[in-house]
Amino acid sequence: MARHLITSALPYINGIKHLGNMVGSMLPADVYARYLRQRGHEVLYICATDEHGTPAELAAAARSIPVAEFCAEAHDAQKAVYDGFSLDFDHFGRSSSQQNREITQHFARRLHENGFIEERAIRQVYSPVDGRFLPDRYVEGTCPHCGYDKARGDQCENCTRVLDPTDLINPRSAISGSTDLEVRETKHLFLLQSKLQGEVEKWIEQVGDHWPQLSSSIARKWLTEGLHDRAITRDLDWGVPVPADVWPELAAEGKVFYVWFDAPIEYIAGTKEWADAAGDGESRDWKSWWYDAEDVTYTEFMGKDNVPFHSVMFPATQMGTREPWKRVDVLKSFNWLNYYGGKFSTSQHRGVFTNDALEVLPADYWRYFMIANAPESDDSSFTWEHFQATVNKDLADTLGNFVNRVLSFSRKRFGDAVPEGGAAGAAEERLGEEIARLLAEYEEQMEALQYRKAASALRALWSAGNSYLEEKAPWLEIKTDQEGAALTLRTAMNLIHLYAVVSEPFVPTSAKAMRTAFKLPDTTATWVSAEEARALSSVPAGTPFIVPPVLFAKLTEDDLDAFKERFGGGE
């Protein structure tokens, strides 16, 4: 049994996330964590809300409430949505936690001791109208690289280039909209990434080939362009404060650490939160997952815009502490999921948002569609027509209809227990070999984090059952060979149980409904071996069963019209 640490990019606190956020980080991480747990591995899946930085302050100000209160409410709201999507975190924490404050300050002290943090005087945007310095997202303007006119002072949402507020063309205050801006001198702390470039390059050469091309190419591009020393403090009221024992002047001025300095450290702090939340009599060792953790395989999940920070900046931060913190082994990144050719956008509220999605359909519909169409090698596009076709063909017809046909027909003809029938014949032997082959393909793609290919293999497993049913045709077979029909149905019921197990990472609620249709011990929910796949005998004759409600309803044209009226699309 191996130990697997899994993290997904922290969802930012300023509002409910859209489907593009979900498919680019938390959902594939959850699918992988569920799969590894089923295979018997020790898994720890950590995530949290990313609560510091400018957007949190702006959002709280817009509601005229304290930022701490805003973040607490927003955290609970996001967690409720993720529970609705059946995201099975081991811990879903908060970057504003005391644990993150302590560990972030520890990192800063160590970096300072080792000569990788330097205090510098810089020129920064100041707004006389607002009476304050304007850090990163408090400044908006036109991106100098792509011309996007709603770029923020930390990063362009359009081209993903990392920016400083002074880079923007025609800058304006995000607070007041004032263009009467000045540049004044102030002091900040800088992480001396340039001194760590050689170490990061050497490390990327060691691990980059194990990453998807998207991740490694972004990391190498950044290294080719050269790592620049970067300010890691901001003039904000909300954040991890600069420790006064090291930088008393900056602490007195109220400087806090830049959100992209403390946010990745929350992966570590979130693990400590998990350990600190242990109940009476339960012992959790958070450091064994992070500190000198050579027995741990660490996999990160994120959208491509987050790759530079996780592939270069955070590893450089870890290296600079000169402590043996666990660095990522595999960085799985995703392209964009678009909405009818345009980007999903939280700030512009374009596309389907996760809370709205759950209002119109259960989570499994969304989970399967997003993973089966994950934007891995290129951007992918959400359209309601594509969503309808996928749901109807794969979920309603191929999986759901198979389950309903088999169980309903068997109950009608043989009662509420699995029929016995005769011994397995050539058709069952062929089926078993095909199922074992497809299961191996599914496992291979899941291990490789190739989600589209894994979904294709899972779909092929479901299709194999339908092909077997059509070949044997028990509705005809029963007229002349009742024992043969009973064998066919018993075999098909064993397929349903197998589907329940192997489909759980994708559609956990439906998988549970399939699994609990049979009155079997919980141990039957463990993974299926190749031998068990060939035998198809985990559900013995005589096992009581029920017919669960319809797993997946087909989406009609009226449904499509209603979705488009509510969310837009296809205009």
Side-chain angles (χ1 to χ4, degrees):
M1 182 176 69
R3 303 181 77 210
H4 287 268
L5 174 65
I6 297 172
T7 63
S8 52
L10 309 186
Y12 200 71
I13 197 69
N14 65 330
I16 299 298
K17 304 299 117 179
H18 52 67
L19 296 184
N21 297 129
M22 179 69 73
V23 74
S25 58
M26 291 174 285
L27 180 55
D30 179 73
V31 170
Y32 188 51
R34 286 176 175 275
Y35 169 76
L36 291 175
R37 291 189 191 109
Q38 284 186 285
R39 299 302 304 268
H41 298 297
E42 184 180 2
V43 177
L44 187 66
Y45 176 23
I46 298 293
C47 193
T49 39
D50 181 3
E51 300 188 6
H52 294 140
T54 311
E57 286 195 359
L58 291 173
R63 290 183 51 192
S64 299
I65 62 174
V67 65
E69 180 182 339
F70 168 80
C71 288
E73 291 179 3
H75 170 86
D76 291 345
Q78 287 199 30
K79 181 60 166 59
V81 172
Y82 305 145
D83 288 344
F85 269 89
S86 300
L87 300 185
D88 195 14
F89 307 110
D90 287 285
H91 183 72
F92 186 72
R94 301 181 61 186
S95 70
S96 61
S97 68
Q98 181 63 28
Q99 291 89 338
N100 195 37
R101 176 174 177 155
E102 292 171 358
I103 297 176
T104 296
Q105 290 182 340
H106 169 79
F107 265 63
R109 289 187 180 99
R110 292 291 297 165
L111 288 161
H112 174 67
E113 291 167 8
N114 296 325
F116 295 116
I117 286 183
E118 181 176 279
E119 184 177 329
R120 294 180 181 176
I122 64 169
R123 293 174 64 77
Q124 188 174 333
V125 176
Y126 183 87
S127 170
V129 171
D130 301 309
R132 61 176 296 170
F133 284 102
L134 300 180
D136 47 69
R137 294 193 181 196
Y138 275 74
V139 186
E140 297 175 345
T142 300
C143 175
H145 303 288
C146 70
Y148 181 61
D149 64 358
K150 295 182 179 65
R152 301 184 301 254
D154 62 342
Q155 188 176 28
C156 177
E157 184 183 56
N158 186 59
C159 71
T160 78
R161 292 289 290 267
V162 174
L163 302 169
D164 281 315
T166 53
D167 295 332
L168 295 172
I169 300 168
N170 299 323
R172 59 188 178 274
S173 167
I175 302 172
S176 62
S178 173
T179 58
D180 179 20
L181 305 181
E182 301 174 0
V183 176
R184 296 185 182 182
E185 187 173 281
T186 185
K187 290 182 178 180
H188 280 287
L189 298 180
F190 277 70
L191 177 63
L192 305 185
Q193 294 184 133
S194 59
K195 295 174 67 172
L196 292 159
Q197 170 142 357
E199 295 179 48
V200 177
E201 286 178 330
K202 182 178 179 180
W203 174 70
I204 289 291
E205 286 305 311
Q206 294 172 345
V207 302
D209 290 342
H210 300 292
W211 298 359
Q213 184 178 1
L214 177 63
S215 304
S216 60
S217 63
I218 292 173
R220 289 182 170 123
K221 178 176 180 291
W222 265 55
L223 290 169
T224 298
E225 293 176 353
L227 295 189
H228 302 290
D229 301 340
R230 189 160 183 84
I232 58 169
T233 52
R234 293 291 188 270
D235 294 285
L236 294 170
D237 297 325
W238 177 244
V240 174
V242 168
D245 58 310
V246 185
W247 298 283
E249 181 182 344
L250 297 186
E253 293 175 3
K255 307 285 188 185
V256 300
F257 285 108
Y258 175 39
V259 63
W260 264 111
F261 182 75
D262 83 84
I265 297 172
E266 169 60 18
Y267 297 135
I268 303 172
T271 309
K272 188 173 189 303
E273 293 170 40
W274 162 79
D276 291 346
D280 294 340
E282 183 181 7
S283 177
R284 295 174 178 176
D285 183 4
W286 71 272
K287 270 198 169 182
S288 72
W289 290 95
W290 282 102
Y291 201 85
D292 205 16
E294 295 182 1
D295 63 333
V296 172
T297 299
Y298 178 23
T299 307
E300 294 178 344
F301 292 83
M302 69 200 64
K304 61 185 176 183
D305 56 328
N306 285 329
V307 171
F309 302 103
H310 289 80
S311 64
V312 175
M313 290 177 63
F314 185 45
T317 300
Q318 291 176 297
M319 292 174 188
T321 66
R322 299 304 187 226
E323 294 176 332
W325 295 104
K326 179 66 183 177
R327 294 193 291 273
V328 63
D329 294 298
V330 179
L331 197 161
K332 175 67 174 180
S333 60
F334 293 84
N335 288 285
W336 303 131
L337 174 66
N338 292 323
Y339 186 74
Y340 283 91
K343 285 185 179 179
F344 280 85
S345 173
T346 300
S347 59
Q348 299 176 34
H349 207 79
R350 172 182 168 80
V352 183
F353 284 71
T354 49
N355 59 332
D356 297 325
L358 293 176
E359 288 183 6
V360 296
L361 286 169
D364 281 357
Y365 289 70
W366 302 104
R367 288 178 62 104
Y368 177 79
F369 174 83
M370 285 190 283
I371 292 297
N373 297 280
E376 292 176 296
S377 60
D378 204 350
D379 292 350
S380 63
S381 185
F382 179 96
T383 69
W384 287 109
E385 292 79 7
H386 187 201
F387 180 71
Q388 178 194 39
T390 300
V391 166
N392 289 355
K393 181 180 178 182
D394 295 356
L395 296 179
D397 286 345
T398 306
L399 177 60
N401 189 47
F402 177 81
V403 172
N404 186 262
R405 289 170 70 193
V406 169
L407 296 181
S408 296
F409 185 74
S410 185
R411 185 178 64 178
K412 179 179 179 181
R413 293 306 183 109
F414 294 101
D416 294 330
V418 176
E420 184 167 356
E428 288 70 38
E429 184 176 343
R430 288 193 304 273
L431 174 66
E433 290 298 326
E434 177 70 357
I435 293 296
R437 182 187 68 80
L438 291 171
L439 179 62
E441 170 69 13
Y442 178 53
E443 292 170 349
E444 179 182 347
Q445 301 304 338
M446 287 295 290
E447 299 284 348
L449 300 175
Q450 293 293 318
Y451 286 96
R452 283 188 176 223
K453 292 179 180 179
S456 179
L458 180 61
R459 189 185 310 119
L461 279 164
W462 298 342
S463 295
N466 284 275
S467 296
Y468 170 74
L469 208 62
E470 292 303 315
E471 176 188 353
K472 295 295 295 290
W475 50 90
L476 299 177
E477 193 177 23
I478 198 169
K479 297 178 181 179
T480 57
D481 184 2
Q482 196 166 58
E483 287 292 295
L487 165 65
T488 299
L489 292 170
R490 189 185 80 228
T491 302
M493 289 184 185
N494 272 277
L495 278 175
I496 292 172
H497 182 264
L498 181 144
Y499 294 162
V501 175
V502 301
S503 304
E504 197 266 351
F506 280 65
V507 287
T509 302
S510 304
K512 182 179 180 180
M514 288 187 282
R515 190 172 65 248
T516 56
F518 303 101
K519 304 303 181 183
L520 291 169
D522 287 344
T523 53
T524 58
T526 57
W527 199 251
V528 181
S529 69
E531 292 74 20
E532 290 169 330
R534 290 188 181 93
L536 290 173
S537 59
S538 295
V539 183
T543 301
F545 72 90
I546 60 171
V547 180
V550 173
L551 296 179
F552 299 100
K554 278 194 169 184
L555 302 181
T556 67
E557 293 304 312
D558 287 343
D559 292 328
L560 224 60
D561 291 341
F563 295 152
K564 287 182 178 181
E565 182 177 353
R566 175 170 179 172
F567 299 102
E571 293 88 352

